[in-house]
Amino acid sequence: MTSTPTSSTPTSSTPAPFTADDYRARMTRAAEAAAEAGLAGVLVAPGPDLVHLTGYRPVATERLTVLVLSAGREPVLVVPTLEAPDAAGATGAPALTVRDWTDGKDPYAAVAPLLDARGRFAVSDNTWAMHLLGLQRELPAASYVSLTEALPMLRAVKDAHELARLEAAGAAADRAYAEILTARFAGRRETEVAADLAALLMRFGHSQVDFTVVGSGPNGANPHHEAGDRTIAAGDMVVLDFGGLKDGYGSDTTRTVHVGEPSPAEQHIHDVVREAQRAGIEAVRPGAACQDVDRAAREIIDEAGYGDLFIHRTGHGIGVTTHEPPYMIEGEEQPLVPGMCFSVEPGIYLPGRFGVRIEDIVTVTDDGARRFNTTPREMAIVE
């Protein structure tokens, strides 16, 4: 594959749409979770949390848009008047009340009557500072906490429709990987292979590409290497980490390939990472702590003598964004629950030489884990 892939390959069928009842249930759970955490409610600005809770996807601007959730009260979405028609047309709109404010009026004064003047509220992480400061000026006795800090598991447990979308996104990423293996690597720049991967993700149904890491040779020792102008050469190990959004839900997978036959040392390190990834996935089960997944994968790498070269957490959650809670890292004692979805992606990184990472998205089942990525984990040989 030396040119951009075509768009002629058919994509998978469109998933069943979410309904107003789906969004009503999510908003109710969020409000109840806030009350259980001792909070007066949740304030949600434009971004992934608002999309998840209402299906409404406005652009964040200097004009205030905020969803107000409190247990036992009707959800209220406060929007600029010029955006009220779009808000009213969102799938989740029948499950809430839309209130608008006009230019020239104080939007924070419009929100204040909906809030407990002395309450503590969880605020979505991407809320603009100017809006939070505006609310603080209007209600100086109220206090605020990050939504991720207060309710880290708000989006963590997926329902059946969400699981189906994540599975489809994983399958699309797998198709992209299978196709890229037919491309020529040697003599091409990392950016060219990255462009092929991005085009393949779109061809197989993604609407958004979030990242296409192509780390060849020594660049592979940087886990988040941005594809650059380095020309891939025979004998290179190449880390391929790519993903994005399909039907609103994320994909993220990593495989490490080799241009030509690997050396025994390269093959050994790849085998260690593959075994660590297997151990991490086998540690996934209901009731286990997130840190147990990290420990299981890290133990294999530690015992092989490469512990200092595994320099990141073992995994992260995925859903309407490609990175979200929960996180598979030492110190995270959050129990795993069926329906949680996250990556398992151990790696070994040798500065100046190469890196190896293998990643699958998994979901917690009633008795273990199910992978959303099924491509071979053995090292593929490419030309």
Side-chain angles (χ1 to χ4, degrees):
M1 184 193 312
T2 56
S3 60
T4 302
T6 68
S7 59
S8 59
T9 301
T11 59
S12 59
S13 60
T14 302
F18 296 125
T19 68
D21 286 341
D22 292 324
Y23 292 118
R24 179 179 289 106
R26 292 176 188 177
M27 287 187 284
T28 298
R29 285 197 301 270
E32 291 175 347
E36 291 170 3
L39 299 171
V42 179
L43 306 179
V44 186
D49 290 308
L50 188 62
V51 174
H52 174 73
L53 290 166
T54 69
Y56 183 43
R57 193 186 297 269
V59 175
T61 73
E62 75 283 359
R63 291 185 172 96
L64 178 70
T65 292
V66 63
L67 173 68
V68 180
L69 301 177
S70 297
R73 297 183 184 177
E74 177 86 6
V76 178
L77 180 62
V78 179
V79 302
T81 298
L82 75 168
E83 296 174 12
D86 290 337
T91 305
L96 52 79
T97 297
V98 176
R99 293 189 183 177
D100 63 311
W101 61 274
T102 58
D103 282 355
K105 302 293 185 181
D106 183 350
Y108 310 107
V111 175
L114 305 174
L115 307 182
D116 179 344
R118 296 183 177 276
R120 185 167 177 78
F121 296 87
V123 180
S124 57
D125 297 359
N126 53 343
T127 302
W128 283 18
M130 66 177 289
H131 294 318
L132 182 56
L133 291 170
L135 289 171
Q136 288 177 326
R137 286 193 300 271
E138 190 68 26
L139 297 173
S143 60
Y144 307 90
V145 63
S146 158
L147 182 58
T148 292
E149 178 184 343
L151 303 173
M153 297 299 110
L154 181 63
R155 304 197 316 251
V157 179
K158 275 63 178 180
D159 62 30
H161 294 305
E162 292 178 293
L163 291 174
R165 292 180 184 224
L166 284 163
E167 185 171 19
D174 283 356
R175 294 177 71 187
Y177 174 68
E179 186 91 1
I180 202 68
L181 293 182
T182 69
R184 182 167 183 82
F185 280 67
R188 302 179 68 210
R189 293 190 300 273
E190 292 174 343
T191 50
E192 293 178 275
V193 177
D196 282 351
L197 277 171
L200 286 166
L201 286 172
M202 298 296 286
R203 175 174 155 191
F204 294 126
H206 281 64
S207 60
Q208 175 178 311
V209 177
D210 287 349
F211 48 88
T212 51
V213 173
V214 179
S216 64
N219 289 340
N222 176 0
H224 281 176
H225 170 67
E226 292 282 346
D229 288 333
R230 183 182 185 275
T231 298
I232 302 169
D236 277 348
M237 195 88 85
V238 185
V239 178
L240 305 173
D241 182 353
F242 52 97
L245 298 183
K246 181 181 185 298
D247 297 315
Y249 281 75
S251 69
D252 186 1
T253 186
T254 308
R255 294 292 184 263
T256 303
V257 304
H258 199 276
V259 185
E261 291 296 327
S263 69
E266 291 171 327
Q267 184 65 61
H268 170 68
I269 289 176
H270 191 281
D271 289 344
V272 171
V273 174
R274 184 157 58 96
E275 176 64 16
Q277 207 246 4
R278 181 200 60 77
I281 289 177
E282 288 186 353
V284 176
R285 62 186 183 281
C290 290
Q291 68 181 2
D292 293 339
V293 179
D294 183 78
R295 288 175 176 177
R298 203 167 296 275
E299 181 179 11
I300 300 297
I301 293 176
D302 285 344
E303 289 179 351
Y306 300 104
D308 291 344
L309 302 177
F310 180 10
I311 56 176
H312 55 73
R313 64 197 176 201
T314 294
H316 58 82
I318 191 169
V320 294
T321 56
T322 47
H323 280 217
E324 62 185 45
Y327 299 105
M328 306 303 113
I329 185 65
E330 181 66 32
E332 180 51 80
E333 298 180 350
Q334 168 67 43
L336 299 180
V337 176
M340 284 183 175
C341 300
F342 49 85
S343 67
V344 179
E345 51 177 307
I348 294 175
Y349 308 93
L350 287 74
R353 296 177 61 192
F354 62 87
V356 176
R357 183 166 64 257
I358 301 172
E359 174 186 16
D360 292 324
I361 299 301
V362 304
T363 185
V364 184
T365 65
D366 290 338
D367 57 1
R370 179 164 63 93
R371 300 181 197 244
F372 288 155
N373 298 107
T374 59
T375 53
R377 292 157 202 91
E378 294 77 15
M379 194 190 323
I381 308 301
V382 296
E383 296 181 352

